[in-house]
Amino acid sequence: MRIKHIDGIRGISIIAVVLFHAFPEIFGSGYLGVDYFLVISGFVISKRYFLGEIEFNFKEFWQRRINRLFPSLIICIILVTPFSFFLMSTDYFENFLQSIVASLLGLNNFLLLFTSGYWSSANDFKPLYTTWSLGLEEQFYLLISLLMISINI
């Protein structure tokens, strides 16, 4: 389901993040766009089930999430891997491979938490570090789907 007037708000949140990464000294709080985007996505997804627009089906719910998220993620991994292989030292490439696995499992945010943190300069050598937000989104989907199952929506 698409709520067209919300797309503009999503767009602003994405622009804020891009501007933050391009000009961090000018747009120092632009990273908050990620938070806004996730809250908006959570609202749109949750609204469908909590307001009874459709009945919740765990398998169907996850199939839609996988169909939406994974094609782009896999293409990104396929494109970045050869460059990483040839341009990274062995240690950095090993870390890159860990981030591939973590990204595919929706856990790159935890990998970053336990290895370097989001603001670390070491992230300059982690081409997939921005997939932490996909991990957070997938974890939200897991929690919301378990919640819906537990309250029989």
Side-chain angles (χ1 to χ4, degrees):
M1 180 179 95
R2 192 157 200 101
I3 303 174
K4 292 183 181 185
H5 61 279
I6 289 183
D7 285 346
I9 299 170
R10 284 180 170 167
I12 292 168
S13 67
I14 292 168
I15 290 168
V17 174
V18 171
L19 289 173
F20 166 73
H21 283 289
F23 309 103
E25 62 284 343
I26 298 171
F27 298 98
S29 298
Y31 65 91
L32 293 174
V34 173
D35 297 336
Y36 293 125
F37 188 89
L38 292 172
V39 168
I40 293 164
S41 296
F43 165 76
V44 171
I45 290 166
S46 303
K47 177 183 176 289
R48 300 178 74 192
Y49 300 105
F50 289 123
L51 296 180
E53 294 177 17
I54 63 173
E55 187 175 327
F56 182 75
N57 178 300
F58 187 84
K59 182 180 176 184
E60 186 180 296
F61 178 82
W62 272 95
Q63 188 64 48
R64 280 197 311 276
R65 304 285 83 76
I66 290 168
N67 289 342
R68 187 176 66 77
L69 297 175
F70 272 72
S72 298
L73 175 60
I74 291 170
I75 288 170
C76 180
I77 289 170
I78 289 170
L79 292 174
V80 171
T81 299
F83 291 101
S84 299
F85 179 77
F86 289 109
L87 297 174
M88 291 181 163
S89 68
T90 305
D91 288 339
Y92 283 121
F93 188 69
E94 181 180 330
N95 290 337
F96 172 72
L97 295 175
Q98 291 173 350
S99 71
I100 288 175
V101 172
S103 296
L104 290 170
L105 296 174
L107 298 171
N108 205 27
N109 56 333
F110 285 108
L111 179 66
L112 287 169
L113 175 68
F114 296 126
T115 59
S116 63
Y118 186 77
W119 302 111
S120 171
S121 61
N123 291 332
D124 294 342
F125 302 103
K126 295 181 179 180
L128 298 177
Y129 90 98
T130 56
T131 63
W132 70 267
S133 62
L134 287 177
L136 188 62
E137 193 171 351
E138 288 179 45
Q139 292 153 25
F140 168 78
Y141 293 153
L142 178 62
L143 290 175
I144 199 75
S145 60
L146 293 174
L147 175 66
M148 286 186 260
I149 287 172
S150 70
I151 59 175
N152 287 326
I153 286 185

